[in-house]
Short mmCIF file of all heavy atoms in Angstrom, two decimals:
data_model
loop_
_atom_site.label_atom_id
_atom_site.label_comp_id
_atom_site.label_asym_id
_atom_site.label_seq_id
_atom_site.Cartn_x
_atom_site.Cartn_y
_atom_site.Cartn_z
N GLU A 1011 -23.03 3.06 23.06
CA GLU A 1011 -22.34 1.85 22.62
C GLU A 1011 -22.39 1.72 21.10
O GLU A 1011 -21.41 1.32 20.47
CB GLU A 1011 -22.96 0.62 23.27
CG GLU A 1011 -22.72 0.54 24.76
CD GLU A 1011 -23.55 -0.53 25.43
OE1 GLU A 1011 -24.76 -0.63 25.09
OE2 GLU A 1011 -23.02 -1.23 26.29
N VAL A 1012 -23.53 2.05 20.52
CA VAL A 1012 -23.67 1.98 19.07
C VAL A 1012 -22.71 2.95 18.40
O VAL A 1012 -22.02 2.59 17.43
CB VAL A 1012 -25.13 2.24 18.63
CG1 VAL A 1012 -25.23 2.39 17.11
CG2 VAL A 1012 -26.04 1.13 19.11
N ARG A 1013 -22.62 4.17 18.91
CA ARG A 1013 -21.68 5.16 18.34
C ARG A 1013 -20.24 4.65 18.44
O ARG A 1013 -19.47 4.75 17.48
CB ARG A 1013 -21.81 6.50 19.06
CG ARG A 1013 -22.93 7.37 18.54
CD ARG A 1013 -22.84 8.81 19.05
NE ARG A 1013 -22.88 8.90 20.50
CZ ARG A 1013 -24.00 8.89 21.23
NH1 ARG A 1013 -25.18 8.78 20.63
NH2 ARG A 1013 -23.95 8.99 22.54
N ARG A 1014 -19.88 4.10 19.59
CA ARG A 1014 -18.52 3.59 19.78
C ARG A 1014 -18.26 2.40 18.85
O ARG A 1014 -17.20 2.30 18.24
CB ARG A 1014 -18.30 3.20 21.25
CG ARG A 1014 -16.92 2.73 21.54
CD ARG A 1014 -15.91 3.87 21.48
NE ARG A 1014 -14.58 3.33 21.68
CZ ARG A 1014 -13.52 3.62 20.95
NH1 ARG A 1014 -13.61 4.51 19.99
NH2 ARG A 1014 -12.36 3.07 21.18
N ALA A 1015 -19.25 1.52 18.73
CA ALA A 1015 -19.11 0.36 17.85
C ALA A 1015 -18.93 0.80 16.39
O ALA A 1015 -18.10 0.26 15.67
CB ALA A 1015 -20.32 -0.55 17.99
N LYS A 1016 -19.69 1.81 15.98
CA LYS A 1016 -19.56 2.32 14.61
C LYS A 1016 -18.18 2.92 14.37
O LYS A 1016 -17.59 2.74 13.31
CB LYS A 1016 -20.65 3.34 14.30
CG LYS A 1016 -22.01 2.72 14.10
CD LYS A 1016 -23.06 3.77 13.78
CE LYS A 1016 -24.41 3.14 13.56
NZ LYS A 1016 -25.45 4.12 13.25
N ALA A 1017 -17.67 3.64 15.37
CA ALA A 1017 -16.33 4.23 15.24
C ALA A 1017 -15.28 3.13 15.15
O ALA A 1017 -14.35 3.21 14.32
CB ALA A 1017 -16.04 5.15 16.42
N LEU A 1018 -15.40 2.10 15.97
CA LEU A 1018 -14.46 0.98 15.92
C LEU A 1018 -14.57 0.25 14.59
O LEU A 1018 -13.55 -0.16 14.00
CB LEU A 1018 -14.71 0.02 17.08
CG LEU A 1018 -14.29 0.53 18.45
CD1 LEU A 1018 -14.94 -0.30 19.55
CD2 LEU A 1018 -12.77 0.51 18.58
N PHE A 1019 -15.78 0.09 14.09
CA PHE A 1019 -16.00 -0.57 12.80
C PHE A 1019 -15.31 0.22 11.69
O PHE A 1019 -14.63 -0.35 10.83
CB PHE A 1019 -17.50 -0.68 12.52
CG PHE A 1019 -17.84 -1.48 11.30
CD1 PHE A 1019 -18.13 -2.82 11.40
CD2 PHE A 1019 -17.88 -0.89 10.06
CE1 PHE A 1019 -18.45 -3.57 10.28
CE2 PHE A 1019 -18.20 -1.62 8.92
CZ PHE A 1019 -18.49 -2.97 9.04
N LYS A 1020 -15.47 1.53 11.72
CA LYS A 1020 -14.84 2.39 10.72
C LYS A 1020 -13.31 2.28 10.79
O LYS A 1020 -12.64 2.18 9.76
CB LYS A 1020 -15.29 3.84 10.93
CG LYS A 1020 -14.83 4.78 9.87
CD LYS A 1020 -15.42 6.17 10.10
CE LYS A 1020 -14.93 7.14 9.04
NZ LYS A 1020 -15.48 8.48 9.24
N GLN A 1021 -12.76 2.28 12.00
CA GLN A 1021 -11.31 2.12 12.17
C GLN A 1021 -10.87 0.77 11.62
O GLN A 1021 -9.85 0.66 10.93
CB GLN A 1021 -10.93 2.22 13.64
CG GLN A 1021 -11.09 3.59 14.25
CD GLN A 1021 -10.93 3.55 15.77
OE1 GLN A 1021 -10.47 2.57 16.34
NE2 GLN A 1021 -11.33 4.64 16.41
N GLY A 1022 -11.63 -0.27 11.95
CA GLY A 1022 -11.30 -1.61 11.46
C GLY A 1022 -11.30 -1.69 9.96
O GLY A 1022 -10.43 -2.31 9.35
N THR A 1023 -12.28 -1.06 9.33
CA THR A 1023 -12.36 -1.06 7.87
C THR A 1023 -11.15 -0.37 7.25
O THR A 1023 -10.56 -0.88 6.29
CB THR A 1023 -13.67 -0.38 7.41
OG1 THR A 1023 -14.78 -1.10 7.97
CG2 THR A 1023 -13.79 -0.35 5.91
N ALA A 1024 -10.75 0.75 7.82
CA ALA A 1024 -9.57 1.47 7.31
C ALA A 1024 -8.31 0.61 7.47
O ALA A 1024 -7.48 0.54 6.56
CB ALA A 1024 -9.40 2.81 8.02
N LEU A 1025 -8.17 -0.03 8.61
CA LEU A 1025 -7.01 -0.89 8.85
C LEU A 1025 -7.01 -2.08 7.89
O LEU A 1025 -5.96 -2.45 7.35
CB LEU A 1025 -6.98 -1.37 10.30
CG LEU A 1025 -6.64 -0.30 11.33
CD1 LEU A 1025 -7.07 -0.72 12.73
CD2 LEU A 1025 -5.14 0.01 11.28
N TYR A 1026 -8.16 -2.68 7.68
CA TYR A 1026 -8.26 -3.81 6.77
C TYR A 1026 -7.84 -3.41 5.36
O TYR A 1026 -7.10 -4.13 4.69
CB TYR A 1026 -9.70 -4.36 6.76
CG TYR A 1026 -9.83 -5.65 5.98
CD1 TYR A 1026 -9.76 -6.87 6.62
CD2 TYR A 1026 -10.01 -5.63 4.60
CE1 TYR A 1026 -9.87 -8.06 5.90
CE2 TYR A 1026 -10.11 -6.79 3.88
CZ TYR A 1026 -10.05 -8.01 4.53
OH TYR A 1026 -10.14 -9.18 3.81
N LYS A 1027 -8.32 -2.26 4.91
CA LYS A 1027 -7.97 -1.79 3.55
C LYS A 1027 -6.46 -1.62 3.39
O LYS A 1027 -5.94 -1.78 2.30
CB LYS A 1027 -8.67 -0.47 3.24
CG LYS A 1027 -10.15 -0.63 2.99
CD LYS A 1027 -10.79 0.60 2.40
CE LYS A 1027 -10.72 1.79 3.29
NZ LYS A 1027 -11.48 2.95 2.79
N ARG A 1028 -5.77 -1.29 4.48
CA ARG A 1028 -4.31 -1.13 4.44
C ARG A 1028 -3.57 -2.45 4.61
O ARG A 1028 -2.35 -2.48 4.59
CB ARG A 1028 -3.86 -0.16 5.53
CG ARG A 1028 -4.26 1.27 5.26
CD ARG A 1028 -3.50 2.26 6.13
NE ARG A 1028 -3.65 2.03 7.55
CZ ARG A 1028 -4.44 2.71 8.37
NH1 ARG A 1028 -5.20 3.69 7.88
NH2 ARG A 1028 -4.50 2.44 9.64
N GLY A 1029 -4.30 -3.53 4.82
CA GLY A 1029 -3.67 -4.83 5.01
C GLY A 1029 -3.22 -5.08 6.43
O GLY A 1029 -2.50 -6.03 6.69
N SER A 1030 -3.67 -4.26 7.36
CA SER A 1030 -3.32 -4.41 8.78
C SER A 1030 -4.41 -5.27 9.44
O SER A 1030 -5.27 -4.76 10.16
CB SER A 1030 -3.22 -3.05 9.46
OG SER A 1030 -2.21 -2.27 8.86
N TYR A 1031 -4.36 -6.57 9.17
CA TYR A 1031 -5.45 -7.45 9.55
C TYR A 1031 -5.55 -7.68 11.06
O TYR A 1031 -6.67 -7.75 11.58
CB TYR A 1031 -5.34 -8.78 8.80
CG TYR A 1031 -5.31 -8.58 7.31
CD1 TYR A 1031 -4.24 -9.01 6.55
CD2 TYR A 1031 -6.36 -7.93 6.65
CE1 TYR A 1031 -4.21 -8.82 5.18
CE2 TYR A 1031 -6.34 -7.73 5.28
CZ TYR A 1031 -5.25 -8.18 4.55
OH TYR A 1031 -5.22 -7.97 3.20
N ALA A 1032 -4.45 -7.81 11.75
CA ALA A 1032 -4.52 -8.04 13.21
C ALA A 1032 -5.13 -6.83 13.94
O ALA A 1032 -6.04 -7.00 14.75
CB ALA A 1032 -3.15 -8.40 13.77
N PRO A 1033 -4.66 -5.60 13.67
CA PRO A 1033 -5.31 -4.46 14.31
C PRO A 1033 -6.78 -4.29 13.87
O PRO A 1033 -7.62 -3.90 14.68
CB PRO A 1033 -4.48 -3.25 13.87
CG PRO A 1033 -3.17 -3.81 13.46
CD PRO A 1033 -3.46 -5.19 12.94
N ALA A 1034 -7.07 -4.62 12.62
CA ALA A 1034 -8.45 -4.54 12.15
C ALA A 1034 -9.32 -5.53 12.92
O ALA A 1034 -10.42 -5.19 13.36
CB ALA A 1034 -8.53 -4.82 10.65
N LEU A 1035 -8.80 -6.73 13.11
CA LEU A 1035 -9.53 -7.75 13.87
C LEU A 1035 -9.83 -7.25 15.28
O LEU A 1035 -10.95 -7.40 15.78
CB LEU A 1035 -8.73 -9.05 13.92
CG LEU A 1035 -9.32 -10.18 14.76
CD1 LEU A 1035 -10.69 -10.59 14.25
CD2 LEU A 1035 -8.35 -11.36 14.78
N ASP A 1036 -8.85 -6.63 15.91
CA ASP A 1036 -9.06 -6.08 17.25
C ASP A 1036 -10.21 -5.09 17.26
O ASP A 1036 -11.09 -5.15 18.12
CB ASP A 1036 -7.77 -5.41 17.74
CG ASP A 1036 -7.99 -4.66 19.04
OD1 ASP A 1036 -8.20 -5.32 20.08
OD2 ASP A 1036 -7.97 -3.41 19.02
N ARG A 1037 -10.25 -4.18 16.29
CA ARG A 1037 -11.31 -3.17 16.24
C ARG A 1037 -12.68 -3.81 15.99
O ARG A 1037 -13.66 -3.46 16.63
CB ARG A 1037 -11.05 -2.13 15.15
CG ARG A 1037 -9.81 -1.27 15.28
CD ARG A 1037 -9.48 -0.80 16.68
NE ARG A 1037 -8.37 0.12 16.70
CZ ARG A 1037 -7.09 -0.21 16.56
NH1 ARG A 1037 -6.73 -1.45 16.37
NH2 ARG A 1037 -6.14 0.71 16.63
N PHE A 1038 -12.71 -4.76 15.06
CA PHE A 1038 -13.99 -5.41 14.76
C PHE A 1038 -14.49 -6.22 15.96
O PHE A 1038 -15.69 -6.21 16.25
CB PHE A 1038 -13.87 -6.31 13.52
CG PHE A 1038 -13.70 -5.57 12.23
CD1 PHE A 1038 -12.74 -5.97 11.31
CD2 PHE A 1038 -14.50 -4.48 11.91
CE1 PHE A 1038 -12.57 -5.30 10.11
CE2 PHE A 1038 -14.35 -3.80 10.71
CZ PHE A 1038 -13.38 -4.21 9.81
N GLU A 1039 -13.59 -6.91 16.66
CA GLU A 1039 -14.01 -7.68 17.83
C GLU A 1039 -14.51 -6.75 18.95
O GLU A 1039 -15.49 -7.08 19.62
CB GLU A 1039 -12.87 -8.57 18.33
CG GLU A 1039 -12.64 -9.76 17.42
CD GLU A 1039 -11.49 -10.64 17.86
OE1 GLU A 1039 -10.57 -10.15 18.55
OE2 GLU A 1039 -11.52 -11.84 17.53
N ARG A 1040 -13.86 -5.62 19.12
CA ARG A 1040 -14.32 -4.66 20.12
C ARG A 1040 -15.68 -4.08 19.74
O ARG A 1040 -16.55 -3.89 20.60
CB ARG A 1040 -13.26 -3.57 20.32
CG ARG A 1040 -12.03 -4.13 21.04
CD ARG A 1040 -10.83 -3.22 21.06
NE ARG A 1040 -11.11 -1.85 21.45
CZ ARG A 1040 -10.33 -0.83 21.15
NH1 ARG A 1040 -9.21 -1.01 20.46
NH2 ARG A 1040 -10.63 0.38 21.54
N ALA A 1041 -15.86 -3.81 18.45
CA ALA A 1041 -17.16 -3.31 17.98
C ALA A 1041 -18.25 -4.37 18.21
O ALA A 1041 -19.35 -4.05 18.65
CB ALA A 1041 -17.09 -2.94 16.50
N LEU A 1042 -17.92 -5.61 17.94
CA LEU A 1042 -18.87 -6.70 18.10
C LEU A 1042 -19.28 -6.87 19.56
O LEU A 1042 -20.44 -7.16 19.86
CB LEU A 1042 -18.25 -7.99 17.56
CG LEU A 1042 -19.16 -9.19 17.41
CD1 LEU A 1042 -20.32 -8.88 16.48
CD2 LEU A 1042 -18.36 -10.37 16.89
N ALA A 1043 -18.34 -6.65 20.47
CA ALA A 1043 -18.65 -6.76 21.90
C ALA A 1043 -19.65 -5.68 22.33
O ALA A 1043 -20.42 -5.88 23.27
CB ALA A 1043 -17.37 -6.66 22.72
N LEU A 1044 -19.64 -4.55 21.64
CA LEU A 1044 -20.55 -3.45 21.98
C LEU A 1044 -21.90 -3.56 21.29
O LEU A 1044 -22.93 -3.20 21.86
CB LEU A 1044 -19.91 -2.11 21.60
CG LEU A 1044 -18.68 -1.71 22.38
CD1 LEU A 1044 -18.01 -0.50 21.73
CD2 LEU A 1044 -19.05 -1.42 23.83
N ASP A 1045 -21.90 -4.02 20.05
CA ASP A 1045 -23.11 -4.05 19.24
C ASP A 1045 -23.00 -5.18 18.23
O ASP A 1045 -22.21 -5.09 17.29
CB ASP A 1045 -23.30 -2.70 18.54
CG ASP A 1045 -24.64 -2.56 17.85
OD1 ASP A 1045 -25.59 -3.26 18.24
OD2 ASP A 1045 -24.74 -1.72 16.94
N ARG A 1046 -23.76 -6.23 18.45
CA ARG A 1046 -23.65 -7.44 17.62
C ARG A 1046 -24.40 -7.24 16.30
O ARG A 1046 -25.63 -7.22 16.27
CB ARG A 1046 -24.25 -8.61 18.40
CG ARG A 1046 -24.08 -9.95 17.73
CD ARG A 1046 -24.66 -11.01 18.65
NE ARG A 1046 -24.57 -12.31 18.06
CZ ARG A 1046 -23.57 -13.14 18.27
NH1 ARG A 1046 -22.59 -12.80 19.08
NH2 ARG A 1046 -23.55 -14.32 17.71
N ARG A 1047 -23.63 -7.11 15.24
CA ARG A 1047 -24.20 -6.94 13.90
C ARG A 1047 -23.60 -7.98 12.96
O ARG A 1047 -22.41 -8.28 13.03
CB ARG A 1047 -23.87 -5.56 13.35
CG ARG A 1047 -24.54 -4.42 14.08
CD ARG A 1047 -24.11 -3.09 13.50
NE ARG A 1047 -24.65 -2.01 14.27
CZ ARG A 1047 -25.72 -1.29 13.90
NH1 ARG A 1047 -26.31 -1.54 12.77
NH2 ARG A 1047 -26.16 -0.31 14.66
N PRO A 1048 -24.42 -8.50 12.04
CA PRO A 1048 -23.89 -9.47 11.07
C PRO A 1048 -22.69 -8.93 10.29
O PRO A 1048 -21.72 -9.66 10.05
CB PRO A 1048 -25.09 -9.74 10.14
CG PRO A 1048 -26.28 -9.49 11.00
CD PRO A 1048 -25.87 -8.34 11.89
N SER A 1049 -22.72 -7.66 9.91
CA SER A 1049 -21.62 -7.10 9.12
C SER A 1049 -20.31 -7.14 9.90
O SER A 1049 -19.24 -7.38 9.32
CB SER A 1049 -21.93 -5.67 8.70
OG SER A 1049 -22.18 -4.86 9.83
N THR A 1050 -20.37 -6.93 11.19
CA THR A 1050 -19.15 -6.97 12.00
C THR A 1050 -18.65 -8.41 12.11
O THR A 1050 -17.44 -8.66 12.03
CB THR A 1050 -19.40 -6.35 13.39
OG1 THR A 1050 -19.98 -5.06 13.21
CG2 THR A 1050 -18.11 -6.21 14.17
N ILE A 1051 -19.57 -9.35 12.30
CA ILE A 1051 -19.19 -10.76 12.36
C ILE A 1051 -18.50 -11.17 11.06
O ILE A 1051 -17.49 -11.87 11.07
CB ILE A 1051 -20.42 -11.65 12.63
CG1 ILE A 1051 -21.01 -11.33 14.01
CG2 ILE A 1051 -20.06 -13.13 12.52
CD1 ILE A 1051 -22.39 -11.94 14.25
N LEU A 1052 -19.04 -10.72 9.94
CA LEU A 1052 -18.45 -11.03 8.64
C LEU A 1052 -17.03 -10.47 8.54
O LEU A 1052 -16.12 -11.14 8.04
CB LEU A 1052 -19.33 -10.47 7.52
CG LEU A 1052 -18.87 -10.73 6.10
CD1 LEU A 1052 -18.70 -12.21 5.82
CD2 LEU A 1052 -19.86 -10.11 5.12
N ASN A 1053 -16.83 -9.28 9.03
CA ASN A 1053 -15.49 -8.69 8.97
C ASN A 1053 -14.51 -9.39 9.91
O ASN A 1053 -13.33 -9.51 9.60
CB ASN A 1053 -15.56 -7.20 9.24
CG ASN A 1053 -16.17 -6.46 8.07
OD1 ASN A 1053 -16.29 -6.99 6.98
ND2 ASN A 1053 -16.59 -5.24 8.31
N VAL A 1054 -14.99 -9.87 11.05
CA VAL A 1054 -14.15 -10.68 11.94
C VAL A 1054 -13.72 -11.94 11.19
O VAL A 1054 -12.54 -12.32 11.22
CB VAL A 1054 -14.89 -11.02 13.25
CG1 VAL A 1054 -14.15 -12.11 14.04
CG2 VAL A 1054 -15.08 -9.77 14.11
N ALA A 1055 -14.66 -12.57 10.50
CA ALA A 1055 -14.34 -13.77 9.72
C ALA A 1055 -13.29 -13.47 8.66
O ALA A 1055 -12.32 -14.23 8.49
CB ALA A 1055 -15.61 -14.31 9.06
#
């Protein structure tokens, strides 16, 4: 789960940098469901 969450987090970060906020939100929320980390919560915000 941690590996999958990290992969989703990385995808979300790349999407966010491109300005694709809705897909980034999806990735961060999916990562958060797998592994609850403050950094992921911050990116969801």
Side-chain angles (χ1 to χ4, degrees):
E1011 292 169 317
V1012 171
R1013 277 193 300 278
R1014 183 70 184 134
K1016 286 180 179 180
L1018 288 163
F1019 187 94
K1020 186 175 179 180
Q1021 291 170 13
T1023 301
L1025 289 162
Y1026 188 95
K1027 287 192 297 187
R1028 289 196 302 258
S1030 299
Y1031 304 120
L1035 176 60
D1036 172 70
R1037 297 320 186 285
F1038 290 134
E1039 287 178 334
R1040 289 169 48 201
L1042 191 59
L1044 294 170
D1045 189 23
R1046 186 178 178 93
R1047 293 178 185 258
S1049 57
T1050 308
I1051 296 168
L1052 181 57
N1053 287 345
V1054 168

